Amino acid sequence: MLNRIDLSRSDLNLLVLFEVVLDERHVGRAAERLALTPSAVSHGLGRLRRLLNDPLFLKTPRGVLPTARAMELAGPIADILARARDVISTAEPFDPKNSTRRFTIGAPDGVTAVFLRPLLAELHRAAPGIDIGVRQLLPVPGEMSPERAWRTAFGDLEAGAMDIAVIPSFHIPTRFHARSLYDEDFVIAMRVGHPFADDPTLERYCEMQHLVVSFTGDPHGFVDEILATQGYSRRISLTVPNFMFALAVVADTDLISALPRRFVAMHAARFGVISLESPFPPTTFQLNAIAPRAAMIDAGLAWIFDLLAPKRAGSHNRLP
């Protein structure tokens, strides 16, 4: 968009002006936000029009309307400014109380539902200006190997698409900083008064109709692998794409579902769902918070990482 010659003789604050005018669709309101006069904003728009060779904003009785070219440029300019702000924010000493940074954390939704509420409470207390973006992470479909099932999360971290990932994997490449968040296993969730609660044996479990959380709709899960080793199978009557929806469905049907213990403990009561211990051998897995080692030099990222996953010496303060 801007070649080297343009950059050498151009004021990149004009991109900030573009962003505000595009947001306000009004020169006067944009001037107020930028602490400039309307004439200064108009002058800046004139320079920007010459630089980008387009009218950019057309006057109307109610303000200005962006041209098609302006709308095409909106995304690239927003990206340039976001990157510039990130560079500047990491260059300044990090102060959580005054920081207005945004961090993106990726995790499966059943994991996010465990750590997000206490994390937000801590941020409200210690860093009220920090914002959080949440990305849902999903294992690679059909991949049973843990180190390969979450390989896309590693790629997204290195590409800068998110700052921290929380995944159930012991196999973390050495180029990533990792810390245990908590250990998890599964319980059997069902509505209050479900007949399975009267006879929670393995045989009775296999006779029930089951709900499985599967983003792709694949009904085969890790429980089926466990049952197969003992010569059992079950009927998967329904798959749903996330754990919170699973609780809502289980609450109103005779379906039962194997769901993460901590997730159920935190959220089942509001749906009127109860849980029982699993009748098959439990599988315990570790949730690890990970970030690229090279990125941990960023004091802000290191701070939010420690807040999410404190060191074991302070494990009594751990968020989940």
Side-chain angles (χ1 to χ4, degrees):
M1 183 177 64
L2 299 174
N3 60 39
R4 292 180 183 275
I5 296 175
D6 289 328
L7 286 175
S8 69
R9 64 190 184 196
S10 301
D11 180 2
L12 295 186
N13 281 322
L14 292 176
L15 300 186
V16 177
L17 185 146
F18 174 93
E19 181 183 58
V20 175
V21 173
L22 181 66
D23 186 42
E24 293 290 346
R25 308 292 173 97
H26 193 279
V27 170
R29 291 195 297 269
E32 290 179 5
R33 278 181 57 179
L34 293 167
L36 297 173
T37 63
S39 62
V41 172
S42 297
H43 178 70
L45 286 176
R47 294 173 59 197
L48 196 56
R49 288 175 177 125
R50 292 190 293 274
L51 179 65
L52 298 177
N53 194 30
D54 187 85
L56 296 177
F57 297 98
L58 305 177
K59 292 182 179 180
T60 74
R62 295 186 177 182
V64 295
L65 287 177
T67 65
R69 177 61 174 157
M71 295 306 297
E72 290 176 0
L73 293 171
I77 287 175
D79 184 59
I80 290 169
L81 293 176
R83 291 175 181 272
R85 287 166 180 145
D86 283 345
V87 170
I88 293 170
S89 66
T90 57
E92 297 176 347
F94 179 73
D95 177 7
K97 290 184 178 180
N98 297 308
S99 176
T100 57
R101 290 182 63 180
R102 172 180 289 272
F103 297 96
T104 301
I105 303 174
D109 78 286
V111 177
T112 304
V114 172
F115 71 71
L116 187 59
R117 186 167 63 187
L119 175 63
L120 292 178
E122 284 296 302
L123 287 175
H124 179 72
R125 180 188 64 81
I130 287 180
D131 297 324
I132 298 294
V134 172
R135 291 187 59 189
Q136 182 174 2
L137 298 186
L138 302 165
V140 176
E143 184 62 73
M144 300 304 293
S145 170
E147 62 268 31
R148 293 187 57 79
W150 299 100
R151 63 182 182 271
T152 54
F154 301 129
D156 286 346
L157 284 169
E158 292 183 307
M162 57 186 171
D163 299 295
I164 302 171
V166 182
I167 56 174
S169 177
F170 291 99
H171 304 276
I172 309 298
T174 56
R175 64 186 183 277
F176 292 95
H177 179 74
R179 191 176 297 161
S180 172
L181 196 59
Y182 61 92
D183 293 333
E184 185 64 285
D185 63 352
F186 280 72
V187 293
I188 309 305
M190 68 205 75
R191 65 169 175 81
V192 174
H194 196 289
F196 177 67
D198 298 328
D199 184 24
T201 63
L202 181 57
E203 290 76 11
R204 185 73 171 137
Y205 173 81
C206 294
E207 293 172 1
M208 297 291 104
Q209 295 185 46
H210 296 260
L211 178 151
V212 167
V213 176
S214 170
F215 182 78
T216 64
D218 180 3
H220 191 82
F222 79 96
V223 172
D224 300 285
E225 297 290 323
I226 296 173
L227 294 177
T229 63
Q230 301 184 53
Y232 290 96
S233 63
R234 59 177 180 162
R235 176 188 170 188
I236 309 300
S237 299
L238 178 68
T239 66
V240 297
N242 62 69
F243 287 96
M244 202 66 77
F245 187 28
L247 281 180
V249 174
V250 165
D252 293 329
T253 67
D254 280 335
L255 298 174
I256 64 175
S257 184
L259 299 175
R261 181 185 298 274
R262 292 199 183 210
F263 167 75
V264 171
M266 290 184 69
H267 300 285
R270 75 180 71 169
F271 293 94
V273 170
I274 62 171
S275 64
L276 296 175
E277 294 297 323
S278 167
F280 50 82
T283 297
T284 300
F285 53 94
Q286 186 178 82
L287 273 301
N288 289 307
I290 63 173
R293 287 189 181 276
M296 290 295 288
I297 195 172
D298 176 348
L301 176 59
W303 183 86
I304 195 76
F305 191 97
D306 285 341
L307 188 65
L308 177 66
K311 296 178 181 178
R312 287 194 175 275
S315 60
H316 60 284
N317 291 324
R318 302 173 84 185
L319 288 175

